[in-house]
Amino acid sequence: MLSPSLEDYLEEIYRFSQNNSIVRVSDIAACLNVTLPSVNNAIRKLSEKHYLIYKKYRELVLTEKGSKVGRFLVDRNRILQDFLKTVNSQCDVRAEAEAMEHYLSLPTIRAIENLLDFLELNPKCREEFLQHCRYRKEKGLGLKDGYAD
Ligand code: MN
């Protein structure tokens, strides 16, 4: 298992490699909006753990293990983003999924995946659910923010 931070690097490297033939350290620094030293540090750790190979001209190539885990991380993130959109959460979907992905267990993510699949196969259920959300909003039901004034 990787730390949340290393997972995010590997996730982004895999995502980038799906859309670009060459992945460089500078590309990843730009995608994640972090400094080059932080990326270099993470890349070194990922290469020590055999997730990727550091080639000349600062090019990164994922190993079989790195691609397998990278694909898993990208899929996991997509499921959580789909979930937040499907339940119509008024959050920053990308940021929230980025945080949730490291803390939810695989059984929970699979349960969410089942729910999403069910709702996709039964669009009427999703419509009724969204209607119910509107009803609750109109009635002012739901968790009250204890920190709000
Ligand atoms: Mn993340």
Side-chain angles (χ1 to χ4, degrees):
M1 288 280 282
L2 294 169
S3 67
S5 159
L6 287 181
E7 282 192 333
D8 283 342
Y9 280 104
L10 183 56
E11 181 187 332
E12 207 50 52
I13 293 166
Y14 182 81
R15 191 177 281 124
F16 196 88
S17 76
Q18 292 301 99
N19 303 314
N20 303 273
S21 50
I22 294 175
V23 187
R24 290 202 172 82
V25 174
S26 51
D27 298 322
I28 302 309
C31 283
L32 288 170
N33 197 22
V34 289
T35 62
L36 271 176
S38 337
V39 187
N40 282 325
N41 192 32
I43 298 301
R44 186 178 41 75
K45 286 182 192 159
L46 287 171
S47 111
E48 280 166 11
K49 293 170 191 283
H50 311 292
Y51 286 92
L52 53 80
I53 298 160
Y54 206 7
K55 299 218 303 190
K56 55 185 175 178
Y57 307 120
R58 310 177 69 72
E59 187 184 330
L60 305 173
V61 176
L62 291 174
T63 60
E64 197 178 322
K65 175 184 170 182
S67 293
K68 185 166 164 270
V69 176
R71 187 180 316 119
F72 163 72
L73 297 173
V74 166
D75 288 348
R76 186 177 70 175
N77 181 270
R78 181 187 41 76
I79 291 165
L80 294 173
Q81 288 203 35
D82 284 352
F83 170 68
L84 294 168
K85 289 177 197 157
T86 299
V87 299
N88 205 21
S89 171
Q90 303 301 301
C91 65
D92 177 339
V93 168
R94 280 186 66 165
E96 192 114 332
E98 273 301 329
M100 287 168 79
E101 62 192 3
H102 309 291
Y103 300 102
L104 297 182
S105 67
L106 206 48
T108 298
I109 296 173
R110 288 191 181 125
I112 287 172
E113 208 181 1
N114 285 341
L115 175 69
L116 291 175
D117 189 59
F118 173 78
L119 291 175
E120 198 177 314
L121 291 170
N122 299 276
K124 274 191 79 176
C125 288
R126 170 138 202 273
E127 196 37 56
E128 280 179 36
F129 168 72
L130 291 176
Q131 257 175 39
H132 188 65
C133 292
R134 287 192 287 273
Y135 164 79
R136 283 177 57 89
K137 196 178 178 191
E138 277 164 25
K139 296 279 171 195
L141 299 172
L143 184 66
K144 296 278 181 291
D145 182 357
Y147 291 106
D149 295 327

